Amino acid sequence: MSLAKRLITLRKEKGLTQQQMADVLGVHVNSLKKYEAGQAQPSLEAIKKIAVGLHVSTDFLLFEEHERDPGDDLALQLEAISQMPEGEQMVIREVLESLIIKYQSRRWDSGRQAVK
């Protein structure tokens, strides 16, 4: 569902007019109309206002339902890990964190090398 459709759905669920919703969000009604029509995209600041005003996450506004979920293989692995004892989960978290840090430092270093 697009951001425009999500805004319309949220507004209707709350029983608000466009003017009332604009007032709740702290945006101009013409801006809200353009967002709902898909004629304009809200700024990051406006997205933050919308999320806070409607009590939803920015992820809910911007991403499809399963767009940020892990893939099936990873989801199965995470489920298996969640069933392990806490001590073993802690070891897995530490190993994952060290691998992520190693990967990020390699990316940072290769980016730094490319700039030189």
Side-chain angles (χ1 to χ4, degrees):
M1 181 184 305
S2 69
L3 174 62
K5 288 180 183 176
R6 247 189 207 102
L7 289 174
I8 293 167
T9 301
L10 287 166
R11 180 173 55 77
K12 289 181 178 181
E13 284 176 1
K14 295 187 181 295
L16 300 172
T17 65
Q18 286 179 321
Q19 182 64 58
Q20 290 169 327
M21 184 153 145
D23 292 343
V24 167
L25 303 178
V27 299
H28 194 277
V29 69
N30 288 336
S31 296
L32 178 62
K33 287 179 180 182
K34 288 179 183 178
Y35 302 156
E36 287 189 359
Q39 296 172 343
Q41 293 295 318
S43 67
L44 289 176
E45 188 60 34
I47 289 172
K48 183 178 174 183
K49 284 181 181 181
I50 293 167
V52 170
L54 298 176
H55 307 288
V56 297
S57 70
T58 55
D59 280 2
F60 174 80
L61 293 172
L62 301 174
F63 295 100
E64 296 300 324
E65 187 176 337
H66 298 290
E67 192 172 1
R68 294 195 36 120
D69 290 345
D72 289 341
D73 291 343
L74 187 54
L76 288 173
Q77 292 170 332
L78 292 172
E79 184 178 331
I81 292 167
S82 72
Q83 297 171 14
M84 294 178 177
E86 185 61 35
E88 291 181 30
Q89 288 183 28
M90 183 63 81
V91 170
I92 292 169
R93 282 188 200 105
E94 289 173 0
V95 168
L96 284 173
E97 188 164 326
S98 68
L99 290 170
I100 291 167
I101 290 169
K102 182 178 177 182
Y103 170 76
Q104 289 174 334
S105 65
R106 273 197 322 251
R107 281 186 48 207
W108 178 80
D109 192 47
S110 65
R112 196 173 55 102
Q113 296 289 335
V115 172
K116 287 183 178 183

